[in-house]
Amino acid sequence: MAHFLLRLSPPRPAFPADATVAEMDAMAAHGAFWQGEADRGVALAVGPVADPSGIWGMALVEVQDQDAADALAAQDPVIVAGLGFAYEVMPILSLIQRRVAGPAAVASSPADS
C-alpha cells in the first residue's frame, strides 16, 4: 500500500467566507464522502488547513497506487459538482505513523495502583 497527500484548493481565495449555497451543499457531501473513506480505513486524516495564505483542504490516504489516489480525488463531490475546486495528488515517500500498542505494551500508570 502507498500513502498520498491530496491537497484540495478552493475555487477562490476568500472561500469559505463567501461560499454559495451550491458550494456549501457540495461541501456537506464532501464531508460525508471523506467520512466514509475514513470509516473504510482509506483516509487516515482529512481536514481544512489554516494556511496564512488561504485555507485549503488535505486528505492523507492509504491506497494501492497513484491511480487509486487520483480516482478518490475525482470522486469527491466537490469535484464532481464542477464548482472550481481542484486537487493536487502527491505521493508520500516515507511515513512515520503512531504505533498501536497492544495490551502487553501498555504500562500501568500510578493511578492504576
Side-chain angles (χ1 to χ4, degrees):
M1 297 297 270
H3 295 95
F4 292 84
L5 175 68
L6 283 63
R7 179 183 171 136
L8 179 65
S9 297
R12 60 195 165 280
F15 185 87
D18 64 351
T20 66
V21 171
E23 290 167 342
M24 291 312 293
D25 289 346
M27 287 302 293
H30 160 82
F33 170 79
W34 283 109
Q35 183 61 62
E37 295 304 317
D39 292 345
R40 288 189 327 118
V42 172
L44 305 178
V46 179
V49 177
D51 186 329
S53 65
I55 292 176
W56 51 274
M58 60 76 60
L60 174 60
V61 302
E62 183 178 54
V63 293
Q64 190 64 37
D65 54 25
Q66 180 80 43
D67 289 341
D70 291 339
L72 274 175
Q75 294 166 15
D76 187 326
V78 297
I79 299 302
V80 173
L83 298 170
F85 292 86
Y87 271 108
E88 291 176 74
V89 179
M90 299 164 274
I92 296 175
L93 303 178
S94 177
L95 183 66
I96 296 171
Q97 292 180 274
R98 177 180 59 198
R99 292 182 185 156
V100 178
V106 176
S108 62
S109 67
D112 294 336
S113 302

